[in-house]
Amino acid sequence: MPWLRSLLGFVLPPARVLEAGCRHGGFAAMLEQAGYQASKLEVAGSNRRRATKKSGIDLVRGKADDQSIGGGSLDAMTLIDLVARFEEPSETLETCLSLLKPDGILLIQTAAYPQPKTLAHFRKSGKTLPKLPDASDHRFLFSEQSAALLFERLDAPFIEFLSADFCANEMSLVVSRAPLKHATPQEQAAALAQSPNGKFVQAMLDLDDRRLDLLAQYRNISQQAQRIAG
């Protein structure tokens, strides 16, 4: 749901979206329900059978630069928990950018280096670097500064960092070669209202809004209780 919210904020259905590293295919299936023209690229072969069985969607194995995807044909491409695994992030991300329309976006979530901390900071504090899910599989960590520098060198200087929804050691961002455009909540609701399935997705988003509001209230009450107890 957080990824769908992020995408809706920049690109509205029926835009053409490719999810790279789709695993079980759930997010791509949700994109289709929301009205996007969604396609799926699974770069981890071990997930292909599970994804097809669970979602009933067709998957393509391989790398982005091995596919017959027309250059400049995508409105958006999502890379969730994938960039840190690339053998050559710069080359692969350049290929991904080439698949986008001039104003297309990359939506990325990846493991992050806790900027502006340095190794000296960690040694002084006695803390260690955040552990990656699989150190042998996650080859690269980016800070906001290094990510911005990388995309500037790839001629994609328009970047916006979003709030990370899973843990403090992750980073979410949207990148484009053109100035980023933002869709208002009213525009998002109007786009989803174009189909029954889209209306259902909007209902799920509304329920999630209520969940987030209750969570914020709970955290506020907990903080107040801690202050009183202290």
Side-chain angles (χ1 to χ4, degrees):
M1 196 63 71
W3 303 330
L4 175 60
R5 287 184 183 279
S6 297
L7 184 62
L8 283 168
F10 296 89
V11 176
L12 296 174
R16 186 181 177 196
V17 182
L18 172 68
E19 182 193 8
C22 60
R23 297 175 295 279
H24 52 68
F27 180 47
M30 181 181 292
L31 292 179
E32 292 177 341
Q33 293 294 311
Y36 289 101
Q37 301 174 55
S39 52
K40 291 77 62 176
L41 174 66
E42 179 50 69
V43 295
S46 61
N47 290 318
R48 179 180 173 85
R49 182 176 299 176
R50 182 162 58 94
T52 305
K53 182 178 180 181
K54 286 194 173 185
S55 66
I57 59 177
D58 185 35
L59 301 177
V60 180
R61 282 184 64 180
K63 299 179 180 180
D65 50 2
D66 294 334
Q67 308 305 315
S68 58
I69 303 168
S73 64
L74 299 174
D75 295 289
M77 185 173 181
T78 66
L79 302 150
I80 308 301
D81 191 25
L82 194 60
V83 173
R85 305 171 189 269
F86 290 152
E87 294 182 5
E88 298 290 344
S90 180
E91 293 180 8
T92 304
L93 289 170
E94 185 174 24
T95 299
C96 293
L97 286 166
S98 73
L99 301 178
L100 300 175
K101 295 178 181 178
D103 61 347
I105 67 166
L106 296 181
L107 173 60
I108 297 171
Q109 182 152 328
T110 185
Y113 185 86
Q115 181 180 300
K117 300 296 185 182
T118 65
L119 184 58
H121 284 119
F122 282 102
R123 285 174 174 168
K124 186 176 181 179
S125 66
K127 297 180 180 179
T128 59
L129 285 169
K131 290 184 178 180
L132 295 172
D134 184 346
S136 64
D137 198 27
H138 288 64
R139 297 179 174 88
F140 294 92
L141 281 177
F142 291 94
S143 65
E144 290 189 3
Q145 182 179 8
S146 63
L149 179 60
L150 170 62
F151 283 109
E152 183 179 351
R153 291 175 176 175
L154 294 176
D155 194 28
F158 300 97
I159 184 168
E160 184 171 327
F161 293 94
L162 312 175
S163 59
D165 297 288
F166 296 98
C167 70
N169 300 330
E170 293 196 343
M171 175 173 60
S172 295
L173 58 149
V174 173
V175 180
S176 179
R177 285 178 165 164
L180 293 168
K181 301 175 183 178
H182 296 81
T184 66
Q186 293 77 16
E187 290 171 333
Q188 297 174 39
L192 290 173
Q194 297 303 308
S195 69
N197 286 339
K199 293 178 181 178
F200 176 72
V201 171
Q202 181 65 66
M204 290 195 299
L205 289 168
D206 291 341
L207 286 174
D208 195 52
D209 282 337
R210 294 171 62 182
R211 178 188 68 83
L212 292 173
D213 182 60
L214 288 172
L215 181 60
Q217 292 182 45
Y218 168 76
R219 288 174 175 170
N220 184 46
I221 292 173
S222 297
Q223 291 173 359
Q224 293 180 14
Q226 289 176 3
R227 285 195 295 266
I228 294 173

